[in-house]
Amino acid sequence: MNDFKLYAMVAAFFGTLSIQAVGGGPAVLPEMQRGIVDQFHLSADQFVQAYGLGQLVPGPNMLLVVVLGYRVAGTIGAIVAMLAFFVPMSIIVVLVGRVAKMIPDSPWKQAIRDGLAPVTIGLMASGAYSMGTSAITSVAAAAIAVVVLGVMLATKVNPIWLVLAAAAAGAFVLPH
Amino acid sequence: MAVAEVPPDPAAPPKVTAATIFLKFLVIGSVSFGGGIVAYLRTMLVDQTKWYTEDEFLTALELSQTLPGTNSVNMSVIVGDKFAGWPGAAAGFLGLCLPGAILAYVLAVGSESGRHNPIAHAALDGVTACAVGILTAITLKTGKKQFMSFPDVLLLGVTFVMMSFLKFKLFFIIAVMGAIAIYVHRPRSKTA
């Protein structure tokens, strides 16, 4: 496949996901994992790892698309993935935002938010499920995931420390 | 910072250039490790610069949560557009995303070259396991209210099954479940 065709595929893939991100970016994670594995032939493990690396950086929580774009199509792929994922939705937001000012307040706005919330949560749960079933392949890995889950639910610790701690733990307890 | 002193007035918004917007969002994009960007945005927009009143901020936030996309990015373009049109929107977006994107790129390159080293490989496996715990925790925390409501548990359960087991396309799930869920949550008069 020539490079241009690959970049076009990356742009189409992330651009399509962009406009489907209802209730926030994480809603598209299960579809993204499926597509990354089926269309771009990365392993599910690499996808989950990209999500983990994305938690180490400041800014929006969906910068894993930069990591994925790089893994799939190099430096240009990283740039294409980032623009394709963030720009289409941004354009929609600007356009709708301008129109929304003219629409009087309606109880339907609240209904849309309340209605989309459980759909978003269901999709995020699906993302966690598909990540878990593909990435947790040893008791030690399961232990790391469970400890991280417990600490995050019980405390307000910044997740970045958990990622760094898990990397250190992995270096010691996971098979080399 | 002279612009910060202009009092908010919806009729005459303070004069803010795209360059100022870029720099303000660049700060947030650089320091917001580990999420929680909405809190940073609130501090910057309402307390620090006074570009937004509390009410305006909540209205913008609600819009950014209703529309597709990452909330923080949506906020950055809404704020940028309000003061400086399309260039402002682009400035907000780039300021918010560039620092993290550059760091993500460095991590992508580093992890790619490091994965043949056995210790680095095991460390990355640790990151992978951690990712599962983080997303699970974020899901449970974000859905606190939904997991306590019977109709919502039903809606999110069906969505989960459609995505994870029936393997429907996301477009289809959003269209069908979104319509059903919004109908379930439709506005009802208090007397009904």
Side-chain angles (χ1 to χ4, degrees):
Chain A
M1 183 174 352
N2 68 40
D3 286 353
F4 182 76
K5 207 170 150 198
L6 181 61
Y7 300 142
M9 256 179 87
V10 171
F13 177 67
F14 287 103
T16 312
L17 286 173
S18 170
I19 52 174
Q20 300 180 78
V22 288
V28 301
L29 286 170
E31 180 98 337
M32 193 183 282
Q33 175 172 348
R34 198 190 283 170
I36 281 290
V37 173
D38 293 348
Q39 290 180 44
F40 295 101
H41 311 297
L42 290 188
S43 68
D45 215 49
Q46 280 182 302
F47 175 82
V48 183
Q49 189 197 91
Y51 179 76
L53 292 175
Q55 302 309 305
L56 279 172
V57 304
N61 62 2
M62 292 300 285
L63 286 170
L64 84 153
V65 298
V66 174
V67 181
L68 293 172
Y70 178 77
R71 296 256 165 95
V72 167
T75 300
I76 297 176
I79 297 167
V80 170
M82 175 171 147
L83 294 178
F85 187 72
F86 289 111
V87 172
M89 61 189 180
S90 297
I91 292 173
I92 293 176
V93 168
V94 169
L95 293 176
V96 176
R98 289 176 180 182
V99 176
K101 277 182 222 149
M102 293 174 248
I103 303 173
D105 223 15
S106 150
W108 279 98
K109 288 183 180 173
Q110 187 64 38
I112 292 171
R113 275 196 301 280
D114 288 348
L116 291 181
V119 177
T120 303
I121 300 299
L123 293 171
M124 288 169 70
S126 174
Y129 175 79
S130 45
M131 281 194 194
T133 47
S134 54
I136 302 298
T137 49
S138 68
V139 176
I144 290 175
V146 169
V147 169
V148 167
L149 171 63
V151 171
M152 272 199 68
L153 290 180
T155 71
K156 288 188 165 176
V157 68
N158 192 319
I160 189 172
W161 301 118
L162 296 173
V163 181
L164 294 174
F172 284 106
V173 303
L174 294 177
H176 289 181
Chain B
M1 265 168 262
V3 278
E5 303 310 320
V6 179
D9 175 7
K15 199 95 194 99
V16 181
T17 64
T20 313
I21 290 164
F22 176 77
L23 290 175
K24 286 287 178 196
F25 277 96
L26 189 68
V27 172
I28 295 179
S30 306
V31 299
S32 56
F33 284 93
I37 299 192
V38 169
Y40 288 100
L41 287 170
R42 207 198 146 282
T43 306
M44 188 266 276
L45 294 168
V46 180
D47 301 336
Q48 195 198 349
T49 61
K50 301 195 165 53
W51 289 348
Y52 276 69
T53 65
E54 185 73 46
D55 279 354
E56 287 171 329
F57 178 77
L58 288 177
T59 306
L61 187 64
E62 280 176 0
L63 181 67
S64 78
Q65 288 167 338
T66 311
L67 295 174
T70 306
N71 294 340
S72 56
V73 175
N74 289 357
M75 279 299 286
S76 74
V77 298
I78 289 172
V79 173
D81 177 56
K82 174 178 174 174
F83 293 110
W86 287 107
F93 162 72
L94 288 174
L96 184 70
C97 291
L98 271 185
I102 291 168
L103 191 54
Y105 176 75
V106 170
L107 288 172
V109 176
S111 62
E112 188 80 10
S113 55
R115 81 200 159 98
H116 302 293
N117 172 311
I119 293 179
H121 191 110
L124 287 169
D125 284 347
V127 172
T128 304
C130 179
V132 176
I134 289 180
L135 183 59
T136 309
I138 293 176
T139 306
L140 292 173
K141 278 182 171 177
T142 314
K144 227 178 341 185
K145 204 174 127 203
Q146 282 72 32
F147 285 114
M148 291 298 157
S149 137
F150 176 70
D152 280 354
V153 168
L154 212 59
L155 291 166
L156 73 88
V158 174
T159 304
F160 176 83
V161 169
M162 287 172 89
M163 188 77 216
S164 281
F165 296 105
L166 305 178
K167 315 262 184 215
F168 284 122
K169 293 294 282 177
L170 182 56
F171 257 135
F172 177 79
I173 297 173
I174 292 171
V176 172
M177 291 311 294
I180 294 173
I182 292 169
Y183 178 76
V184 168
H185 284 276
R186 70 192 176 280
R188 268 165 284 206
S189 61
K190 296 274 185 288
T191 49

